[in-house]
């Protein structure tokens, strides 16, 4: 469904409007029965929709099942023990509280929820589920996530009109606009002047939007703010990204009830009321009321098969990247792509990396695409490189290291060390994994499948002390040397350690690759671009592996970072606004490690002994049965600790300004090259677009030169491309859907 008109047309609203009529006709039926009837009447719709309020009435009519809820709380406790930052969340540094987020006592919060349950204070299952979800979400740790079924299995909420936040001239503070208005003015009727949104639901628009932004998963408030809006880099990720922004139910916005309507008041005095809606994600067969909804969808016996959506595989599905020019090379899922710029900017190549998740373009892997593009760009005489990591929620850790080493093969391969919580489970597993690994060769060279499984499951694990090196680059002599524990900040942690990037088992942790500059790729030694010829731009949505990459780029290589957008406030923003933990662990992986150790790695006697420790607390299937279909379930396993930081503060709690902040303009929300040009002007053109910060004399100036024949051709094609852009190119139906997404990674923040 595409917008063809300005907001006055509001064509999208019709999808939610189909249902109120039925709503009226069946007022006597229960809200869930009304949803059921509405779903039945939309048999041909891929995803039926109902008015937001009806969905809310239905989901809040599900009675709370106290014993089941208490069992859920009990069974999530073991997994929360793996979360590395609970002590720091409870008592964060003052600067973090001042500039980033408030403290959260997750264990205290869990106790509160338990006592409210015991005191019958939750009126329905949704109220309970929402309390649990919010407790985790307010930590703003994108790796710490569990979405209860009642929050995400049945409905995703949405608003009909995406917004953008833009500065009139690149200097004035940004204002929110309806994106269809901006498209209409940019690509349609040029005499139409959009009016900015002054109020939302009667409140000052900026305040309202800052408040709404806080429902997101990032920690930085400016990055959260950007995530509210329609953003080209995010949209290019399709269902694997945060959709059209949290305002329209993208990313974490999909789980927040937006109210029945949203009223937008424009500066010109006009008011528009949006009818909010909910997407119905599961069949409603047999659902007649809240009780039956519970029985069918919130127990271990829920219908199977609904999760079997055909996942978009990296190679088979090509998705649009509206506002991006034709690439030199690009993965079909847009996770990585390379572009050349035109005319006076012809010296510049752009590597766009909105994800570090595995991606393939035909037979090329993610690092192959980067390597090919860098060598093509060099061969074509490009002198400068913009790396655009907007929308990058992370992916595979070692792909982050690899991209850095492709750019800086001669520089040190680390900038921060890792650690995890030292507690009973990690100690028991570490002892066992280490002892077994001592009896097994560290090699990929085996035809023995049993042996290979052990190497993949045990030997290559960080719970084997041999997998990592000390901060001095030495091997750990034994498990206790790695485990510690160190008592710090009211918790216990392992000693600091680093990846051994030369490890022969690297492919088992990297999705199959070796790292440029190490092992078989040790012959890769030539740095493609000078430091000052590289600049990185972000929208703040840089999380997980993207933050590992950024720590390397900033701390080791001294590459400058430019941040985009942000709240409608003056001053500098952070460039890296997503979770800076360096590894997430899915709960099912934790469960596997515990069960595998007891059942497969131990004698029966030993297994029984383990079973009587905390390691024996991972048998319940309840957390998995009660998880929203198609949502992620993770803890942050490793902290990143900056090299030389004597305070051992997890990077998650370190505030870091970007080098320069540039505001989005109208053009940039339609044509990504307008943003890249502002970045190039600022870095190499002697024309700063920074509204705060500045790059000083960082980059050498671009020089005017004659264009080659192929550059002239590119310029012509680029002009054709710009002329060809039309409103219909910008999809208005992009929604986060992890059932349909293909994403992987061991340091990834799922949207
Ligand atoms: C409540 O949950 C328990 C499991 O803890 C289950 O046995 C029981 O049937 C549920 N009650 C209802 C009314 O669904
Ligand atoms: C273009 O916009 C102007 C101002 O909003 C309006 O008066 C005019 O009718 C529009 N023209 C068309 C063709 O839509
Ligand atoms: C006021 O601005 C809004 C948003 O751009 C637009 O939809 C509406 O038509 C404008 N109203 C008038 C009276 O111009
Ligand atoms: C990759 O695919 C292309 C075209 O299908 C083919 O020409 C090329 O040989 C393949 N490369 C490798 C390394 O398999
Ligand atoms: C394969 O490896 C396992 C585990 O090390 C070992 O017990 C078994 O004897 C090996 N099998 C063969 C055929 O070598
Ligand atoms: C840290 O370890 C000590 C003993 O080694 C233990 O007494 C203490 O409870 C642990 N602290 C936490 C928060 O687990
Ligand atoms: C890293 O791995 C390589 C190859 O497996 C090995 O030779 C080297 O000793 C390891 N380094 C450390 C510090 O463990
Ligand atoms: C490095 O070695 C590999 C094979 O071992 C070869 O394919 C590649 O071209 C070499 N790269 C360089 C930069 O020499
Ligand atoms: C562990 O053992 C169980 C039962 O003995 C078996 O079913 C399972 O496949 C084993 N798991 C692995 C990963 O080898
Ligand atoms: C461990 O305990 C669970 C129940 O808590 C039981 O189902 C399982 O059989 C036990 N396994 C072993 C090896 O003792």
């Amino acid at each position: 469904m595409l917008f063809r008109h300005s907001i006055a047309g509001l064509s999208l609203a019709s999808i939610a409007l189909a249902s109120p009529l039925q709503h009226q006709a069946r007022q006597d039926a229960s809200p869930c029965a009304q949803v059921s009837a509405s779903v039945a009447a939309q048999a041909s719709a891929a995803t039926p929709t109902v008015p937001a309020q009806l969905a809310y009435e239905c989901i809040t009519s599900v009675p709370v099942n106290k014993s089941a809820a208490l069992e859920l709380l009990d069974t999530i406790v073991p997994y929360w023990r793996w979360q590395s930052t609970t002590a720091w969340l409870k008592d964060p540094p003052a600067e973090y509280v001042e500039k980033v987020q408030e403290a959260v006592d997750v264990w205290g919060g869990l106790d509160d929820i338990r006592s409210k349950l015991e005191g019958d204070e939750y009126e329905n299952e949704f109220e309970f589920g929402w309390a649990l979800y919010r407790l985790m979400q307010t930590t703003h740790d994108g790796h710490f996530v569990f979405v209860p079924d009642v929050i995400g299995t049945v409905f995703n909420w949405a608003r009909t009109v995406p917004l953008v936040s833009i500065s009139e001239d690149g200097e004035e503070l940004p204002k929110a606009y309806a994106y269809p208005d901006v498209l209409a003015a940019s690509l349609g009727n040029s005499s139409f002047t959009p009016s900015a949104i002054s109020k939302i639901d009667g409140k000052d628009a900026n305040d309202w939007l800052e408040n709404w932004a806080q429902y997101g998963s990032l920690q930085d408030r400016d990055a959260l703010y950007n995530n509210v809006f329609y953003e080209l880099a995010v949209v290019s990720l399709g269902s694997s990204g945060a959709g059209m922004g949290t305002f329209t139910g993208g990313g974490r916005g999909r789980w927040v009830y937006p109210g029945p309507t949203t009223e937008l008041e424009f500066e010109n005095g006009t008011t528009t009321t949006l009818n909010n809606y909910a997407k119905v994600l599961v069949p409603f067969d047999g659902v007649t009321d809240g009780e039956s909804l519970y029985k069918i969808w919130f127990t271990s016996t829920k219908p199977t098969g609904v999760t079997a959506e055909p996942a978009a595989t990296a190679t088979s599905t090509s998705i649009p990247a509206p506002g991006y020019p034709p690439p030199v090379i690009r993965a079909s899922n847009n996770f990585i792509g390379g572009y050349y710029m035109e005319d006076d900017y012809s010296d510049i190549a752009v590597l766009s990396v909105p994800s570090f998740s595995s991606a393939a373009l035909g037979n090329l892997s993610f690092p192959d695409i980067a390597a090919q593009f860098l060598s093509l760009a060099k061969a074509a005489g490009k002198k400068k490189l913009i790396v655009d990591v907007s929308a990058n929620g992370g992916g595979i850790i070692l792909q982050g290291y690899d991209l850095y080493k492709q750019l800086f093969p001669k520089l040190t391969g680390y900038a921060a060390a890792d650690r995890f919580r030292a507690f009973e489970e990690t100690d028991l597993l570490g002892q066992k994994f280490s002892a077994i690994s001592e009896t097994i060769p560290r090699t990929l060279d085996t035809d023995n499948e049993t042996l290979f499984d052990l190497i993949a499951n045990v030997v290559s694990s960080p719970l084997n002390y041999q997998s990592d090196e000390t901060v001095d680059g030495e091997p750990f002599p034994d498990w206790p040397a790695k485990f510690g524990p160190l008592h710090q900040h009211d918790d216990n942690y392992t000693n600091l350690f680093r990846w051994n990037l030369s490890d022969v088992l690297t492919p088992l942790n990297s999705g199959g690759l070796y790292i440029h500059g190490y092992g078989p790729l040790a012959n890769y030694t030539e740095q493609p671009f000078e430091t000052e010829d590289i600049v990185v731009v972000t929208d703040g949505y840089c999380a997980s592996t993207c933050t590992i990459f950024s720590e390397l780029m900033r701390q080791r290589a001294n590459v400058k970072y430019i941040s985009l957008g942000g709240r409608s406030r003056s001053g500098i923003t952070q460039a890296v606004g997503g979770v800076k933990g360096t590894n997430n662990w899915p709960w099912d992986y934790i469960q596997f490690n515990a069960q595998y150790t007891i059942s497969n790695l131990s004698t029966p006697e030993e297994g029984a002994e383990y079973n009587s420790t905390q390691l024996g607390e991972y048998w319940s299937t309840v957390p998995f049965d009660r998880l929203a279909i198609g949502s992620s379930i993770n803890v942050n396993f490793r902290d990143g600790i900056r090299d030389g930081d004597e305070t051992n503060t997890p990077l998650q709690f370190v505030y870091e300004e970007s080098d320069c902040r540039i505001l989005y303009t109208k053009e940039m929300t339609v044509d990504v090259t307008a943003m890249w040009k502002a970045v190039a002007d600022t870095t190499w053109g002697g024309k700063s677009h920074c509204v705060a910060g500045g790059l000083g004399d960082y980059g050498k100036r671009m020089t005017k030169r004659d264009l080659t024949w192929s550059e002239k051709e590119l310029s012509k094609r680029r002009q054709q491309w710009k002329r060809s852009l039309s409103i219909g190119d910008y999809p208005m139906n992009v929604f986060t859907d992890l059932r349909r997404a293909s994403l992987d990674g061991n340091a990834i923040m799922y949207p």
Side-chain angles (χ1 to χ4, degrees), residues 442 466 468-469 473-475 500 502-504:
R442 198 172 178 90
Q466 296 171 333
D468 301 286
E469 52 187 49
E474 299 296 325
N500 177 357
S502 307
D503 185 7
V504 291

Side-chain angles (χ1 to χ4, degrees), residues 86-87 107 421-424 483 485-493:
T86 50
W107 291 113
R421 277 198 77 231
F423 63 111
E424 189 168 310
F483 181 72
L486 292 184
H487 186 79
Q488 281 170 344
H489 208 90
D490 257 340
D491 207 349
N492 301 314
Y493 302 97

Side-chain angles (χ1 to χ4, degrees), residues 311-319 331-333 358-364 742:
T313 59
T315 44
S316 64
T317 318
S318 186
I319 57 170
S332 49
N333 56 14
S358 262
L361 175 63
N363 49 16
L364 291 179
S742 117

Side-chain angles (χ1 to χ4, degrees), residues 6-8 177-178 181 192-196 266-270 272:
S6 71
I7 193 170
Y177 290 83
D181 278 3
F192 169 72
T193 308
S195 183
F266 297 93
E267 284 184 351
N268 65 8
T270 302
T272 300

Side-chain angles (χ1 to χ4, degrees), residues 599-612:
S599 305
N600 304 68
L601 298 180
S602 304
T603 61
E605 299 73 39
E606 225 182 347
E609 213 171 291
Y610 280 134
N611 227 10
S612 67

